[in-house]
């Protein structure tokens, strides 16, 4: 039986362990060469930074799960998959794996999760009563796409100090609260416990990652967090309450999911590879608008919190209230993606480097003209 004391203890253990292991991860990063050196204009930092903080998040989460949930049959596959996806992220941090190789290994891990019983078997029938059950092939495809897709959402927003850890902690706390509300009726207390473990480890890491950051989580941390969000939503409520299972994670992860979808659209329009990195993400746009890292991150925290509250309202079937909050978040997204001179968001990606060089060239020409005028 999972009681309130167990839940609180789970959170505290993961928080303390992550807090203690983050300084250790910084030292380990320098020893093994897991250091992020700014080599292009996408980087927001100007000096080499350790990027092995995911070790603290991983150890904090896994310590709590192994202490309080290791005997749960639903959580065991998540622990196995979490260890594998974290190992993949570490390999990428150390060796810079090819994007296609990473995607292929993520797919294999998702297939393993399906084989171990983590499956999306049905969706709610919104045009009638009951549920619409998937055939085996559809169940397999939907499950794999869900796990791989959500796994990468946190990774794609990990571009500013404290952004990924903060978004993941807000999402984890929101889903944990929803799971707690429906815990007794839908058997979701184990999801609440696991999400508190994830949120606790993120918050333990955040003091070292918030601007100005002392360390980054790296792909090991971001992929692990995305994977935990994806699989834990499959563990509990999908067996009992499909609306809660599907809508809540999508709402809570609204910012990362939107940013991912917009990035794919932008790259398709620009005829660029989908896996290619660019400087068109939402947090990049905020920085280009003149907001500093701290303010940009806090603004995105606010939207994530709004979406988290909307998810809670949806779980209580307060759809009108949730719609209002969703509309507010959409308005803020519109404001962030546009500027006073344009009515619609920019789909075409701007080559930041060439634009900066162009501005510098024009400035030099202007200064030269002024000097010639002075001499005359």
């Amino acid at each position: 039986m999972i009681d309130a004391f167990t839940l609180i203890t789970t959170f505290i253990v993961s928080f303390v362990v992550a807090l203690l292991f983050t300084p250790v991860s910084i030292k380990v990063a320098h020893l093994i060469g897991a250091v992020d050196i700014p080599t292009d204009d996408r980087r927001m930092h100007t000096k080499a930074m350790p990027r092995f903080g995911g070790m603290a998040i991983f150890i904090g989460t896994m310590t709590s799960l192994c202490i309080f949930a290791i005997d749960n049959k639903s959580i065991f596959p998540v622990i196995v998959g979490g260890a594998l996806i974290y190992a993949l992220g570490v390999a990428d941090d150390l060796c810079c794996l090819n994007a296609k190789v990473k995607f292929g290994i993520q797919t294999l891990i998702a297939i393993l999760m399906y084989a171990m019983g983590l499956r999306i078997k049905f969706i709610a029938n919104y045009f009638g009563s009951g549920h619409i059950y998937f055939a085996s092939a559809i169940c397999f495809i939907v499950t794999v796409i869900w796990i791989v897709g959500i796994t990468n959402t946190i990774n794609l927003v990990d571009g500013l100090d404290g952004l990924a850890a903060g978004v993941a902690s807000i999402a984890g706390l929101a889903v944990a609260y929803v799971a707690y509300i429906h815990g007794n009726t839908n058997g979701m207390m184990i999801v609440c416990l696991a999400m508190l473990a994830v949120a606790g480890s993120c918050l333990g890491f955040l003091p070292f990652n918030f601007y100005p950051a002392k360390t980054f989580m790296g792909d090991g941390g971001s992929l692990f967090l995305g994977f935990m969000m994806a699989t834990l939503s499959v563990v509990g409520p999908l067996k009992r309450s499909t609306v809660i299972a599907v809508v809540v994670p999508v709402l809570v992860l609204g910012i990362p999911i939107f940013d991912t979808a917009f990035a794919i659209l932008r790259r398709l329009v620009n005829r660029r590879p989908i896996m290619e990195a660019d400087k068109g993400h939402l947090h990049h746009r905020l920085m280009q608008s003149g907001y500093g890292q701290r303010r940009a991150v806090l603004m995105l925290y606010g939207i994530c919190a709004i979406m988290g509250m909307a998810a809670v309202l949806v779980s209580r079937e307060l759809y009108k209230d949730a719609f209002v909050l969703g509309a507010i978040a959409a308005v803020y997204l519109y404001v962030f993606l546009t500027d006073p001179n344009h009515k619609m968001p920019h789909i075409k990606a701007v080559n930041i480097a060439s634009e900066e060089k162009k501005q510098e060239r024009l400035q030099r020409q202007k200064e030269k003209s002024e000097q010639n005028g002075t001499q005359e």
Side-chain angles (χ1 to χ4, degrees):
M1 182 67 180
I2 300 175
D3 54 18
F5 177 77
T6 303
L7 295 176
I8 295 172
T9 306
T10 299
F11 178 84
I12 293 174
V13 168
S14 63
F15 175 85
V16 172
V17 171
L19 188 68
L20 294 176
F21 270 88
T22 302
V24 176
S25 72
I26 295 175
K27 295 180 180 180
V28 173
H30 289 291
L31 292 175
I32 64 177
V35 178
D36 193 322
I37 300 174
T39 56
D40 56 57
D41 62 347
R42 291 184 65 254
R43 301 294 194 272
M44 294 298 172
H45 57 289
T46 57
K47 61 180 181 179
M49 291 285 291
R51 57 174 181 183
F52 205 59
M55 183 188 85
I57 296 174
F58 174 76
I59 293 176
T61 302
M62 289 302 189
T63 298
S64 282
L65 291 182
C66 289
I67 292 174
F68 300 103
I70 190 62
D71 57 341
N72 188 285
K73 294 181 180 179
S74 298
I75 291 297
F76 180 73
V78 176
I79 293 176
V80 173
L84 293 174
I85 206 75
Y86 173 69
L88 172 64
V90 170
D92 187 37
D93 288 330
L94 296 177
C95 305
C96 295
L97 300 176
N98 180 275
K100 293 181 179 179
V101 173
K102 285 196 299 182
F103 181 79
I105 297 176
Q106 289 171 13
T107 302
L108 291 176
I109 294 173
I111 292 173
L112 175 62
M113 294 300 96
Y114 176 87
M116 296 181 73
L118 295 182
R119 303 175 182 181
I120 301 177
K121 297 181 178 180
F122 56 82
I123 60 173
N125 182 8
Y126 295 101
F127 302 100
S129 59
H131 302 93
I132 300 175
Y133 285 84
F134 294 133
S136 297
I138 302 299
C139 174
F140 172 79
I141 294 172
V142 170
T143 301
V144 171
I145 291 176
W146 172 264
I147 293 176
V148 173
I150 300 300
T151 294
N152 285 283
T153 56
I154 301 297
N155 187 35
L156 289 176
V157 299
D158 187 19
L160 297 179
D161 293 355
L163 181 57
V167 168
S169 61
I170 292 171
L173 289 173
V175 176
Y177 182 56
V178 171
Y180 181 78
I181 293 173
H182 302 276
N184 294 327
T185 56
N186 290 324
M188 293 172 62
M189 292 303 288
I190 188 62
V191 178
C192 178
L193 183 147
M195 282 296 185
L196 286 176
V198 172
S201 63
C202 288
L203 291 174
F205 168 74
L206 194 56
F208 299 90
N209 183 237
F210 196 73
Y211 183 82
K214 299 179 180 66
T215 183
F216 297 154
M217 68 172 64
D219 280 358
S222 59
L223 289 178
F224 172 75
L225 289 175
F227 178 84
M228 296 301 287
M229 293 291 173
T231 53
L232 287 175
S233 64
V234 177
V235 163
L238 280 176
K239 304 289 194 328
R240 299 170 178 83
S241 179
T242 307
V243 171
I244 296 174
V246 175
V247 176
V248 168
V250 169
L251 285 177
V252 171
L253 295 173
I255 289 294
I257 291 174
F258 171 83
D259 200 34
T260 301
F262 196 75
I264 293 173
L265 174 62
R266 181 174 63 250
R267 290 162 191 172
L268 289 175
V269 169
N270 287 278
R271 298 180 181 178
R272 306 297 302 174
I274 293 178
M275 296 292 183
E276 182 182 73
D278 60 24
K279 204 173 182 179
H281 290 288
L282 182 56
H283 50 273
H284 289 133
R285 293 176 182 274
L286 289 175
M287 294 295 291
Q288 293 166 20
S289 298
Y291 298 101
Q293 286 206 49
R294 189 188 299 269
R295 287 189 296 169
V297 168
L298 290 176
M299 291 162 74
L300 293 175
Y301 282 178
I303 294 184
C304 290
I306 291 174
M307 298 303 290
M309 289 304 300
V312 173
L313 293 175
V314 166
S315 74
R316 291 187 165 185
E317 299 183 357
L318 299 173
Y319 301 117
K320 294 180 181 178
D321 300 26
F323 176 79
V324 171
L325 289 181
I328 293 172
V331 169
Y332 280 119
L333 280 175
Y334 173 82
V335 172
F336 293 160
L337 287 171
T338 58
D339 60 58
N341 300 317
H342 297 83
K343 294 182 179 181
M344 292 298 292
H346 291 291
I347 298 295
K348 289 284 186 180
V350 177
N351 189 322
I352 302 299
S354 66
E355 286 294 320
E356 290 178 348
K357 290 180 181 178
K358 181 179 178 181
Q359 292 298 325
E360 291 176 359
R361 186 170 62 255
L362 292 174
Q363 183 64 27
R364 286 196 299 267
Q365 291 176 353
K366 181 179 179 182
E367 292 174 354
K368 187 176 180 179
S369 299
E370 291 176 350
Q371 291 176 358
N372 292 335
T374 303
Q375 291 175 359
E376 293 176 357

